[in-house]
Amino acid sequence: GNSVTQMEGPVTLSEEAFLTINCTYTATGYPSLFWYVQYPGEGLQLLLKATKADDKGSNKGFEATYRKETTSFHLEKGSVQVSDSAVYFCALSGAPKTSYDKVIFGPGTSLSVIP
Amino acid sequence: NAGVTQTPKFRVLKTGQSMTLLCAQDMNHEYMYWYRQDPGMGLRLIHYSVGEGTTAKGEVPDGYNVSRLKKQNFLLGLESAAPSQTSVYFCASTQGKEQYFGPGTRLTVT
């Protein structure tokens, strides 16, 4: 079955440091890949997505590239800010044209950015 | 456009009590979902619906029931609450691949 694996947290970085959160997946077909972010006390919100191999999703300075050959979708940011402190979830959804787009979430990686 | 809303935001129940969590969306989405979030376990799907009048079980449906009488609403019921149901509950909806989440309901069962 489909699954998502993320690096274990928590991750603590100083402001302006480089961020990488690793994500690998197992899936049949051609899933879409997502990164969601959850700020303290809130629900998840979509950060970025990629729907096919070699696509790069980007938003708010974050980037991730859909690598089918390594089944990975690592999240990166060149210079983190305190406001980036949150929990980050990697996720995938099934192949297109399915009647039910079940989303598989990774366990989440907590990021704390200190001034 | 409020997106996805959930009521209540917080609730404390005693073991054996019942309650209903309400999720409402104003985006005319067909698909709606209920998840629970527990430390170290990520999000787990409880039940979902692919349209008005339809519901289906997810990964962890035991102890919960749902109803989707109106397209915009998805109700999650606990008939006899147990301490193991202490969690944060999230509702989500989608029309395509991106899921839109509500702010969550924090439920404690004592």
Side-chain angles (χ1 to χ4, degrees):
Chain A
N2 297 343
S3 66
V4 174
T5 303
Q6 282 181 244
M7 62 186 290
E8 294 288 332
V11 174
T12 302
L13 294 174
S14 297
E15 206 165 22
E16 299 184 2
F18 183 84
L19 168 72
T20 299
I21 301 178
N22 290 336
C23 171
T24 56
Y25 68 91
T26 302
T28 55
Y30 301 93
S32 295
L33 301 174
F34 307 85
W35 278 100
Y36 283 83
V37 59
Q38 183 180 30
Y39 298 104
E42 298 182 11
L44 281 70
Q45 53 186 275
L46 182 68
L47 180 61
L48 55 83
K49 65 181 179 183
T51 56
K52 60 183 188 295
D54 300 325
D55 268 1
K56 178 185 282 188
S58 61
N59 186 25
K60 299 181 182 179
F62 291 89
E63 292 183 340
T65 301
Y66 188 161
R67 301 284 188 203
K68 192 160 179 65
E69 64 276 14
T70 54
T71 62
S72 64
F73 193 55
H74 305 322
L75 183 68
E76 296 182 337
K77 186 174 186 182
S79 176
V80 294
Q81 306 300 313
V82 172
S83 57
D84 294 326
S85 297
V87 180
Y88 293 81
F89 293 88
C90 186
L92 69 82
S93 70
K97 299 181 182 178
T98 55
S99 61
Y100 161 51
D101 274 322
K102 183 179 178 183
V103 179
I104 307 295
F105 290 91
T109 301
S110 176
L111 170 66
S112 293
V113 180
I114 53 178
Chain B
N1 188 336
V4 180
T5 58
Q6 292 181 235
T7 52
K9 287 185 168 44
F10 303 94
R11 187 70 185 270
V12 178
L13 288 179
K14 294 188 189 304
T15 297
Q17 286 185 320
S18 63
M19 78 164 293
T20 300
L21 284 66
L22 172 63
C23 175
Q25 53 96 2
D26 61 3
M27 296 173 283
N28 202 35
H29 287 170
E30 290 292 337
Y31 301 166
M32 296 186 74
Y33 311 80
W34 276 106
Y35 295 93
R36 59 178 290 173
Q37 185 179 33
D38 301 293
M41 304 194 73
L43 286 162
R44 292 183 292 171
L45 182 65
I46 304 171
H47 285 280
Y48 65 96
S49 168
V50 299
E52 182 180 317
T54 73
T55 63
K57 295 179 180 179
E59 299 172 68
V60 289
D62 294 341
Y64 305 95
N65 57 75
V66 288
S67 65
R68 183 102 181 265
L69 297 180
K70 294 183 179 180
K71 185 177 184 179
Q72 63 268 34
N73 295 337
F74 195 29
L75 278 62
L76 178 71
L78 286 72
E79 289 189 347
S80 180
S84 60
Q85 295 177 305
T86 293
S87 188
V88 181
Y89 292 85
F90 288 100
C91 177
S93 71
T94 185
Q95 190 66 29
K97 300 221 176 269
E98 175 185 350
Q99 295 206 347
Y100 293 81
F101 284 82
T105 295
R106 184 173 294 276
L107 175 66
T108 302
V109 183
T110 62

